[in-house]
């Protein structure tokens, strides 16, 4: 290990990083809320305190919606902010560390131990709270790296950029806005939770809505009506058959994942009166996009599976399929790129173990960076199985190890001024 590397690792303050993570979790930055904007401004201040040149701007939502490649948006919002910090150095950033500040809603508060999903409760080596895993631990690691660089006095030969983005959970608005503004880099590490692995590819995910018509009647004479819930069942069965078909022989990079391209119905709404036959059912869900598949082909596959149903009522009253909200294409790091090896080397030097390289079954900002010509991968603290759940947590030892590995990666990729 070089002298510069030793100095930066010594400057990493583990207790300070944990306090930073707790502070981030305590901001209830649900996608599209004022707290999301509040946290973006806080990240901007932290980057400025670390000596970075900081760009904070208000997103032009109308212009972004009209721009080619707009990734979709589900959560209502009236504003959003972009935040990018860049260290000194010559040329374009040699590395981007990226993290999103927004979190999904907490759901049923009664299911959270203690009742407060944003209290950042610590027990042993684990911090609990909404966003602890997805992905404020990764965000804290990125911010801790630049703080340690400042504290150590080590100066980079080429710039490091830190991108803090909003709106990842519902499509990737913040990453799209950041790239549209012109912020670049030679390669990017997105510090989403990866359980110690390197994620070099991600499937996509498209939000769909299916409207199934029935025929209204009084519940006492239900034989005069057609229950939209009942005729939805063949649609749901067709979705499950399509899912099985699309998951045959997946790309080996998924490393044995039994369901890399899930299709799930997340919400179902039907009826407006207890004693009436419901005449409309609206189901919304997500369709997994296969690696390298055009999202238009994925949409067509679902639409065709539903259109081909032989149910007599559905033939006469075909379900209506639309595609609102987030539209995540798939993405992958270019084959043979050196970034996974560089990350793996840094991780091995910190933990003594070389991480595996695999793919993830969910959509992320990775596809926006790779589509924009910036090779990207995921490597960050946390286990995605705890994300979006009332048991969300992160192991603080993972946070420590990831932060140290990112610090080494930064120094080796960006170089050090003599």
């Amino acid at each position: 290990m070089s002298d510069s590397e030793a100095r930066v690792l010594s400057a990493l303050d583990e207790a300070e990083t944990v306090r930073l993570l707790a502070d981030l979790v305590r901001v209830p930055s649900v996608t599209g809320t004022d707290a999301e904007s509040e946290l973006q401004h806080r990240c901007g201040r932290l980057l400025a305190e670390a000596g970075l040149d900081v760009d904070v701007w208000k997103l032009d939502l109308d212009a972004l919606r009209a721009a080619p490649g707009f990734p979709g948006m589900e959560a209502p919002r009236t504003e959003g902010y972009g935040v990018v910090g860049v260290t000194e150095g010559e040329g374009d950033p040699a590395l981007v560390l990226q993290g999103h500040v927004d979190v999904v809603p907490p759901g049923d508060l009664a299911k959270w131990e203690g009742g407060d999903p944003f209290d950042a409760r610590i027990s042993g080596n684990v911090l609990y709270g909404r966003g602890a895993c997805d992905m404020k631990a990764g965000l804290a690691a990125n911010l801790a790296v630049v703080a340690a660089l400042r504290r150590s006095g080590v100066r980079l030969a080429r710039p490091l950029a830190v991108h803090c983005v909003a709106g990842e959970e519902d499509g990737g608005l913040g990453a799209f806005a950041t790239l549209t503004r012109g912020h670049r880099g030679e390669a990017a590490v997105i510090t989403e939770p990866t359980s110690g692995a390197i994620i070099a590819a991600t499937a996509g995910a498209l939000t769909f809505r299916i409207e199934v018509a029935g025929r209204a009647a009084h519940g006492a004479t239900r034989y005069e009506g057609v229950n939209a819930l009942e005729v939805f069942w063949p649609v749901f069965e067709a979705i499950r058959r399509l899912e099985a078909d699309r998951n045959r022989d997946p790309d080996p990079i998924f490393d044995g994942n039994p369901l890399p391209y899930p299709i799930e119905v997340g919400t179902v709404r039907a009826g407006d009166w207890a004693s009436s036959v419901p005449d409309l059912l609206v189901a919304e869900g997500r369709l997994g996009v296969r690696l390298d598949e055009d999202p238009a082909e994925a949409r067509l596959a679902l639409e065709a599976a539903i259109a081909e149903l032989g149910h007599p009522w559905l033939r006469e009253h075909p379900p209506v399929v639309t595609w609102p909200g987030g539209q995540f294409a798939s993405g992958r790091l270019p084959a043979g790129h050196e970034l996974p090896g560089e990350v793996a080397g840094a991780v091995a030097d910190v933990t003594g173990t070389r991480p595996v390289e695999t793919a993830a079954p969910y959509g992320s900002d990775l596809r926006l960076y790779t589509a924009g010509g910036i090779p990207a991968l995921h490597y960050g603290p946390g286990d995605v199985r705890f994300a979006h759940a009332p048991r969300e947590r992160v192991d603080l030892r993972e946070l420590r190890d990831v932060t140290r590995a990112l610090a080494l990666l930064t120094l080796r990729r960006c170089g050090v001024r003599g």
Side-chain angles (χ1 to χ4, degrees):
M1 188 174 296
S2 72
D3 176 66
S4 297
E5 291 172 353
R7 285 168 58 191
V8 172
L9 292 187
S10 295
L12 285 170
D13 186 329
E14 185 177 349
E16 178 184 86
T17 305
V18 172
R19 287 194 297 271
L20 172 60
L21 172 58
D23 288 344
L24 297 175
V25 170
R26 290 180 183 126
V27 180
S29 53
V30 174
T31 305
T33 63
D34 291 345
E36 181 193 53
S37 296
E38 174 194 336
L39 189 51
Q40 278 289 74
H41 286 294
R42 183 178 298 190
C43 288
R45 291 193 296 271
L46 290 170
L47 292 172
E49 290 169 6
L52 279 68
D53 181 16
V54 180
D55 181 17
V56 178
W57 72 98
K58 188 172 184 178
L59 306 186
D60 186 334
L61 298 177
D62 290 338
L64 290 169
R65 289 189 188 98
F70 176 65
M73 190 168 65
E74 294 177 39
R77 69 167 63 242
T78 58
E79 67 174 20
Y81 289 87
V83 176
V84 169
V86 183
T87 67
E88 63 177 357
E90 299 296 328
D92 291 332
L95 178 66
V96 174
L97 297 180
Q98 194 259 34
H100 66 82
V101 303
D102 60 314
V103 301
V104 298
D108 185 355
L109 300 183
K111 293 182 178 178
W112 288 87
E113 187 172 339
D116 184 354
F118 298 106
D119 65 354
R121 179 175 60 88
I122 296 176
S123 177
N125 289 310
V126 178
L127 186 147
Y128 297 83
R130 171 57 82 230
C133 166
D134 185 15
M135 62 168 292
K136 291 181 177 178
L139 187 64
N142 297 345
L143 295 169
V145 168
V146 293
L149 285 170
R150 172 78 166 194
R151 190 179 295 122
S152 71
V154 172
R155 300 173 66 193
L156 300 176
R158 296 191 57 199
L160 165 72
V162 178
H163 295 183
C164 303
V165 302
E168 189 275 345
E169 294 289 358
D170 69 333
L173 170 70
F176 181 72
T178 298
L179 298 173
T180 299
R181 192 167 175 85
H183 288 289
R184 315 302 299 167
E186 283 191 359
V189 173
I190 301 172
T191 51
E192 293 273 13
T194 65
S195 299
I198 292 171
I199 303 295
T202 60
L206 310 177
T207 300
F208 61 78
R209 176 180 294 134
I210 304 172
E211 298 181 20
V212 179
R215 184 170 62 216
H218 194 290
T221 57
R222 71 174 185 84
Y223 45 83
E224 296 291 337
V226 175
N227 191 314
L229 178 62
E230 187 173 350
V231 294
F232 170 67
W233 188 248
V235 175
F236 184 76
E237 290 181 319
I239 289 172
R240 282 290 181 254
R241 289 193 297 271
L242 177 65
E243 180 186 61
D245 183 64
R246 288 173 60 80
N247 281 278
R248 291 190 178 93
D249 302 319
D251 192 301
I253 195 174
F254 282 100
D255 193 29
N257 185 321
L259 200 64
Y261 309 119
I263 310 175
E264 186 59 292
V265 175
T267 67
V268 177
R269 300 183 299 276
D272 54 13
W273 195 253
S275 59
S276 297
V277 175
D279 61 354
L280 177 65
L281 179 144
V282 179
E284 295 179 329
R286 57 94 70 195
L287 167 70
V289 179
R290 294 181 291 198
L291 286 180
D292 305 320
E293 179 182 33
D294 187 328
E297 294 180 4
R299 295 186 192 100
L300 183 60
L302 180 66
E303 293 168 1
I306 293 173
E308 293 166 1
L309 286 170
H311 190 281
W313 174 264
L314 296 175
R315 279 201 306 269
E316 296 297 321
H317 306 82
V320 176
V321 182
T322 54
W323 301 92
Q327 303 292 300
F328 292 83
S330 69
R332 71 161 90 205
L333 190 77
H337 197 276
E338 66 272 13
L339 185 61
E342 294 171 347
V343 174
V347 174
D349 286 346
V350 168
T351 67
T353 303
R354 199 169 180 88
V356 300
E357 184 177 327
T358 185
Y362 50 80
S364 81
D365 284 341
L366 180 149
R367 97 280 191 192
L368 295 172
Y369 280 79
T370 56
I374 304 174
L377 57 75
H378 289 185
Y379 173 70
D383 184 336
V384 73
R385 292 175 298 179
F386 295 128
H388 296 205
R391 63 188 186 280
E392 186 167 0
R393 68 191 73 173
V394 68
D395 190 313
L396 298 174
R397 293 166 296 190
E398 274 191 62
L399 173 61
R400 174 200 64 207
D401 290 346
V402 167
T403 305
R404 291 171 68 84
L406 292 175
L408 291 181
L409 174 69
T410 297
L411 293 170
R412 294 169 183 177
R413 185 157 188 89
C414 297
V416 176
R417 291 194 184 190

